[in-house]
């Protein structure tokens, strides 16, 4: 089936559910008090957008995710590269990192609040923690599994250490690193909700809390939809920016 | 005591530089692994400039180990390798290698792979050499393709071109055609000889294919296993280009086969069974 057709098919189910719910509420079959119909959610979204509130909340959330992503990714790449290249560090550090990785993210929240208060620092830090682990795992795994046979090709052509890193190691680890970054960005959006639920005066997470406390389900659903769009958009930006770097490994793209 | 004696006339630098001065000298090379396995024992071999020597033998006779020592990828337990009078301790700029697998870098296109070892050259020279090599191996139109889009034979051709374009004095080929079908192999033999004709590097070819050895080599050296050592040497002495179905070619194949056969029969090292042992079988 053509690509357009597949996308169209994927839209059938959500559209049918939305239209069905709209009709059900409209005809009085259900009240729609706890789950408002799409028209009411759309109106709420438009109101929020028109007042400029939506943009303000989206901006606050994106800045937190962006900062957390930068810190987490930088730390993940650095730690992953060090642990993969220095055996002593791998034996010393990696077991502890793997143990910390097993801690559920939300378990950090009380501790971070105690340590850093409830302002921006603990929020960005929590997101950075979420981003760190997939990037760390991706980078260290990629470096550890670089094909020794390709490194030998570099030795045959007498590459210096720097040239070997630049011309063979870097391109070899790039795909797995990018997968790690992409997973990390997804987790960043997951963690920003947790961060904003711990107390915020702006951000999409604040809209969720506010909607719950003042019983505004339309606002909650509107915030959820905005989260989905923002997350998807950020992912698309990351993929588009990095696609030229991994063009060589795409096998299926031409045939799509 | 031997360390104090002055060696006269052994190093190539002390000999007059004639056509027959060996470019590659392997002297008493041995390799024992950490677990005590002896892979190679007392290998000595010298190869003249432009000569093609085939190393032939069954698996486990240390052919690849020998090649890796000459390439400077591994270190010998004893003995030396010299190229142009320089002792090899690590990969040498005058020594090129083609591995059993193509080992192309998947993130570089075909032209990028062929020119991988030419980073030090000016761009125009690099382009010219890559273009000429691609022409030679029949991939002139495919410089922009990715390695994954090529067949196995095409990939190995790119690997051979990559080794040739740096104009090495010595080229080491480690069973580069063993994974290819017979037709592709024939084709690649021709292209290898075409590339060889341009700069005439010395070639040391590891193979387990007698036909391939006789088609390509001036000299075939048979190796014996456990520990790996050199056995008989057969001078092929056929003019190029060679015709693999001609009678004299067949004769050379038979001579190598016979030598290979002798190397596989350990009769010389083990005495025949004593008469009383034989009698017990009756």
């Amino acid at each position: 089936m053509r690509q357009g057709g597949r996308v169209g098919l994927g839209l059938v189910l959500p559209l049918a559910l939305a239209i069905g719910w709209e009709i059900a509420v409209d005809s009085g079959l259900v009240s729609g008090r706890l789950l408002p119909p799409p028209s009411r959610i759309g109106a709420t979204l438009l109101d929020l957008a028109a007042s400029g509130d939506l943009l303000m909340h989206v901006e606050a959330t994106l800045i937190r995710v962006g900062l957390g992503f930068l810190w987490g990714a930088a730390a993940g790449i650095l730690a992953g590269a060090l642990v993969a290249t220095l055996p002593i560090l791998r034996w010393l550090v990696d077991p502890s990192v793997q143990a910390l990785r097993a801690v559920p993210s939300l378990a950090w929240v009380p501790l971070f609040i105690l340590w850093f208060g409830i302002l921006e620092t603990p929020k960005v830090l929590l997101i950075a923690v979420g981003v760190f682990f997939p990037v760390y795992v991706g980078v260290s795994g990629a470096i550890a599994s670089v094909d020794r046979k390709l490194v030998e090709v570099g030795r045959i052509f007498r590459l210096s250490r720097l040239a070997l890193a630049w011309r063979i190691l870097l391109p070899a680890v790039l795909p797995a690193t990018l997968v790690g970054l992409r997973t990390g960005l997804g987790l960043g959006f997951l963690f920003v909700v947790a961060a904003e639920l711990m107390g915020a005066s702006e951000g999409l997470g604040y809209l969720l809390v506010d909607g719950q406390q003042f019983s505004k389900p339309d606002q909650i659903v509107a915030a959820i939809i905005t989260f989905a769009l923002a997350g998807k958009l950020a992912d698309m930006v990351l993929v588009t920016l990095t696609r030229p770097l991994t063009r060589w490994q795409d096998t299926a793209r031409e045939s799509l | 005591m031997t360390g104090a004696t002055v060696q006269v006339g052994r190093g190539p630098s002390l000999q007059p530089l004639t056509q027959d001065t060996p470019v590659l000298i392997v002297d008493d090379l041995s390799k024992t692994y950490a677990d005590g396995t002896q892979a190679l024992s007392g290998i000595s071999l010298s190869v003249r400039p432009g000569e093609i020597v085939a190393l032939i033998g069954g698996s486990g006779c240390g052919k690849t180990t020998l090649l890796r020592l000459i390439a400077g990828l591994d270190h010998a337990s004893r003995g030396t390798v010299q190229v142009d009078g320089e002792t090899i301790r690590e990969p040498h700029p005058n020594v090129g290698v083609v591995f059993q697998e193509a080992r192309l870098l998947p993130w570089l296109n075909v032209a990028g792979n062929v020119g991988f070892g030419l980073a030090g050259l000016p761009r125009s020279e690099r382009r010219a050499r890559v273009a000429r090599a691609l022409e030679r191996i029949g991939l002139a139109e495919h410089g922009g393709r990715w390695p994954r889009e090529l067949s196995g034979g095409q990939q190995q051709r790119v690997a051979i071109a990559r080794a040739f374009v740096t104009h090495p004095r010595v080229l080491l080929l480690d069973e580069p055609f063993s994974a290819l079908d017979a037709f592709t192999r024939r084709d690649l033999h021709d292209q290898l000889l075409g590339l060889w004709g341009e700069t005439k590097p010395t070639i040391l070819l590891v193979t387990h294919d007698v036909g391939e050895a006789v088609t390509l080599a001036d000299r075939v050296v048979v190796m014996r296993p456990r520990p790996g050592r050199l056995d008989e040497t057969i001078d092929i002495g056929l003019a190029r280009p060679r015709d693999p179905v001609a009678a004299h070619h067949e004769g050379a194949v038979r001579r190598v086969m016979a030598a290979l056969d002798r190397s596989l029969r350990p009769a010389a090292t083990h005495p025949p069974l004593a008469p009383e042992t034989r009698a017990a079988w009756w």
Side-chain angles (χ1 to χ4, degrees):
Chain A
M1 198 183 285
R2 305 276 295 267
Q3 199 178 350
R6 281 185 229 172
V7 171
L9 203 61
L11 286 173
V12 168
L13 195 62
L15 278 180
L17 283 174
I19 292 169
W21 192 245
E22 187 75 49
I23 292 169
V25 176
D26 226 33
S27 59
L29 272 170
V30 288
S31 77
R33 193 178 58 83
L34 286 176
L35 184 59
S39 60
R40 193 129 42 90
I41 296 165
T44 308
L45 262 177
L46 279 179
D47 281 350
L48 281 169
S51 68
D53 281 1
L54 188 67
L55 192 66
M56 186 259 288
H57 292 302
V58 168
E59 202 181 298
T61 297
L62 284 184
I63 286 174
R64 281 172 193 140
V65 174
L67 281 176
F69 180 72
L70 283 182
W71 285 111
I77 288 172
L78 191 69
L82 284 175
V83 161
T85 44
L86 302 174
I88 182 77
L89 271 183
R90 177 159 64 247
W91 301 323
L92 190 72
V93 177
D94 191 57
S96 306
V97 176
Q98 298 296 344
L100 287 176
R101 194 159 77 95
V103 176
S105 53
L106 286 177
W108 296 112
V109 171
L111 204 57
F112 281 8
I113 290 174
L114 271 185
W115 286 350
F116 305 107
I118 54 163
L119 294 177
E120 286 306 297
T121 314
K123 295 189 180 64
V124 170
L125 201 68
L126 186 69
I127 296 162
V129 166
V131 175
F132 172 83
F133 289 107
V135 175
Y136 169 86
V137 171
V139 170
S140 60
I143 293 178
S145 62
V146 167
D147 191 350
R148 206 179 50 83
K149 292 180 168 178
L150 294 186
V151 176
E152 241 170 28
V153 171
R155 283 183 64 202
I156 284 296
F157 287 110
R158 299 159 44 82
L159 298 188
S160 65
R161 274 174 158 270
L162 194 68
L164 194 73
W166 178 250
R167 297 182 67 194
I168 292 191
L169 296 181
L170 187 69
V173 303
L174 209 54
T177 304
L178 293 179
V179 170
L181 286 176
R182 206 175 159 192
T183 314
L185 186 63
L187 281 180
F189 273 94
L190 211 68
F191 279 38
V192 79
V193 181
E196 289 178 341
L197 286 179
M198 74 167 91
S201 53
E202 53 181 16
L204 290 172
Y206 163 79
L207 282 184
L208 293 176
V209 180
D210 184 70
Q212 180 210 336
Q213 282 169 349
F214 295 94
S215 199
K216 295 186 279 192
D218 49 338
Q219 183 181 312
I220 296 177
V221 179
I224 289 174
I225 289 172
T226 314
F227 257 126
L229 289 176
K232 177 68 189 163
L233 208 69
D235 184 63
M236 275 167 62
V237 167
L238 186 71
V239 168
T240 311
L241 285 179
T242 56
R243 177 165 298 162
L245 299 174
T246 54
R247 206 158 48 89
W248 54 271
Q249 66 160 192
D250 290 336
T251 41
R253 181 144 307 141
E254 294 99 297
S255 61
L256 277 176
Chain B
M1 270 328 235
T2 47
T5 53
V6 179
Q7 298 183 334
V8 178
R10 270 191 87 196
S13 54
L14 299 173
Q15 294 177 347
L17 281 165
T18 64
Q19 190 56 36
D20 286 337
T21 307
V23 61
L24 169 67
I25 300 177
V26 178
D27 185 23
D28 194 29
L29 204 63
S30 296
K31 174 76 182 177
T32 307
Y33 287 112
D35 63 0
T37 336
Q38 195 173 21
L40 291 176
S41 164
I43 307 264
S44 294
L45 177 73
S46 48
V47 188
R48 292 187 304 276
E51 197 181 7
I52 303 182
V53 173
L55 284 172
I56 197 164
S59 39
C61 67
K63 305 184 298 270
T64 297
T65 308
L66 176 57
L67 222 61
R68 290 180 62 86
L69 293 179
I70 297 173
L73 288 171
D74 290 328
H75 293 286
S77 315
R78 203 183 66 222
T80 55
V81 175
Q82 289 190 328
V83 169
D84 275 332
E86 284 181 54
T87 303
I88 297 290
R89 289 190 185 82
E90 56 190 60
H92 190 277
N94 284 344
V95 180
V97 180
V98 177
F99 297 97
Q100 197 168 350
E101 330 81 22
R103 300 199 187 181
L104 302 183
L105 304 171
W107 51 84
L108 294 179
N109 63 20
V110 168
N113 268 289
V114 172
F116 186 77
L118 300 177
L121 289 181
R123 178 189 280 256
S124 57
E125 168 72 8
R126 202 162 62 210
R127 280 209 185 143
R129 281 206 204 179
V130 170
R132 204 162 55 231
L134 286 177
E135 189 104 29
R136 266 270 176 229
I137 58 169
L139 292 175
E141 309 296 314
H142 300 98
R145 291 174 74 189
W146 300 110
R148 61 176 160 79
E149 299 171 319
L150 305 180
S151 69
Q154 288 173 325
Q155 290 188 11
Q156 198 55 279
R157 272 190 259 169
V158 173
I160 290 170
R162 175 175 69 185
F164 265 100
V165 289
T166 61
H167 297 171
R169 295 259 290 146
V170 175
L171 196 53
L172 308 172
L173 307 182
D174 185 7
E175 302 191 24
F177 313 123
S178 60
L180 306 173
D181 62 82
F183 300 105
T184 312
R185 207 179 300 176
R186 278 291 304 277
D187 207 26
L188 259 70
H189 290 162
D190 290 344
Q191 282 167 352
L192 176 73
L193 289 174
L195 280 165
W196 174 77
E198 286 197 345
T199 50
K200 293 273 169 72
T202 299
I203 290 182
L204 196 57
L205 167 76
V206 161
T207 179
H208 52 228
D209 178 344
V210 175
E212 180 169 291
V214 172
T215 305
L216 296 174
D218 300 304
R219 194 149 54 107
V220 176
V221 178
V222 178
M223 287 187 78
R224 261 172 188 270
R226 280 172 291 277
R229 62 221 128 110
L230 301 189
D231 202 37
E232 292 179 55
T233 297
I234 300 105
D235 278 307
I236 299 302
L238 298 175
R240 297 179 199 281
R242 292 177 184 169
D243 178 3
V245 290
H248 46 74
H249 196 279
E250 272 303 315
V253 169
R254 230 171 286 130
R255 277 194 290 147
V256 175
M257 291 285 242
L260 205 55
D261 206 38
R262 283 192 290 277
S263 83
L264 294 174
R265 257 183 294 148
T269 50
H270 296 289
L273 297 172
E276 58 272 28
T277 325
R278 224 184 298 157
W281 281 103
W282 297 98

